[in-house]
Amino acid sequence: MQNSKTKIEQYHLHKEHPRKLQFELYDLNAYRKKSGDLAAVPHSHSYYQIIWFFNEGGTHAVDFKKYDVKKNTVLFVTKDQVHAFDENEEVQGWLIHFNESFLSIQILICF
């Protein structure tokens, strides 16, 4: 259970330019190994995430509720939503980060 006095860290793609067009794609396994234990601590982002898990195994917490990871699980994490990976750094998949600026430009291109 989350302690009401616990500070939830928030991460940003480009802290100095939060409105700048932003889109990043990561290999989930490399990202988990690079981020280490920090990704397993509940945190939020000022951007959106799509997390695609290729294989079954482990859990992922969103708003302090744990979800079992099944083969080809896709999670959509909105900005400011609290989430955390489990301790498994051997996870396989893709991680996509983007902000509203990216969504706006994509909508303009489609129309």
Side-chain angles (χ1 to χ4, degrees):
M1 179 146 213
Q2 182 69 14
N3 181 333
S4 63
K5 294 185 181 191
T6 302
K7 181 179 181 332
I8 301 294
E9 190 69 39
Q10 184 174 57
Y11 299 105
H12 309 278
L13 289 175
H14 300 285
K15 201 170 198 172
E16 300 80 33
H17 306 287
R19 295 185 184 271
K20 180 180 171 185
L21 175 65
Q22 297 174 30
F23 178 90
E24 296 179 351
L25 175 66
Y26 298 96
D27 174 278
L28 188 54
N29 182 260
Y31 185 87
R32 281 295 291 122
K33 287 181 179 179
K34 182 180 175 185
S35 63
D37 294 339
L38 288 177
V41 175
H43 61 280
S44 69
H45 303 274
S46 63
Y47 50 87
Y48 301 89
Q49 287 187 310
I50 298 174
I51 309 169
W52 179 6
F53 297 93
F54 292 167
N55 300 321
E56 184 171 337
T59 62
H60 193 86
V62 179
D63 289 338
F64 306 102
K65 181 177 178 185
K66 288 188 178 182
Y67 295 91
D68 292 329
V69 173
K70 306 287 186 195
K71 185 176 182 176
N72 285 318
T73 293
V74 177
L75 293 176
F76 297 88
V77 181
T78 64
K79 70 177 192 168
D80 301 323
Q81 195 168 29
V82 177
H83 78 111
F85 287 88
D86 62 12
E87 295 79 27
N88 180 14
E89 292 183 7
E90 297 303 320
V91 64
Q92 302 295 317
W94 290 111
L95 177 61
I96 302 169
H97 295 161
F98 58 94
N99 66 358
E100 285 96 347
S101 295
F102 174 76
L103 292 175
S104 296
I105 193 72
Q106 295 308 308
I107 290 170
L108 291 174
I109 291 171
C110 293
F111 293 103

